[in-house]
Amino acid sequence: MAYVINEDCIACGSCISECPVEAISEGDIYSIDPDICTDCGTCADVCPSEAIHPA
Ligand code: SF4
């Protein structure tokens, strides 16, 4: 399992520096590499748009 960023992402960048395994990539909507994500939930806690949820 991995966390997923949905279309509510405003590309604010809050999550990217919080991920301990650098699984998050920048973009119009940020994305999480499911092969790297360890399901820790840190990014979901910091997202101001609540755009990050467990898949
Ligand atoms: Fe990174 Fe944790 Fe978010 Fe997965 S759940 S992308 S490991 S911060």
Side-chain angles (χ1 to χ4, degrees):
M1 224 172 85
Y3 275 65
V4 173
I5 301 176
N6 68 26
E7 65 277 3
D8 292 334
C9 173
I10 56 171
C12 69
S14 300
C15 59
I16 198 162
S17 60
E18 299 295 327
C19 179
V21 294
E22 299 183 6
I24 303 175
S25 302
E26 291 179 50
D28 291 339
I29 291 176
Y30 280 42
S31 62
I32 296 173
D33 186 332
D35 294 330
I36 300 175
C37 176
T38 60
D39 233 9
C40 73
T42 304
C43 54
D45 290 341
V46 300
C47 179
S49 297
E50 298 183 5
I52 310 178
H53 299 278

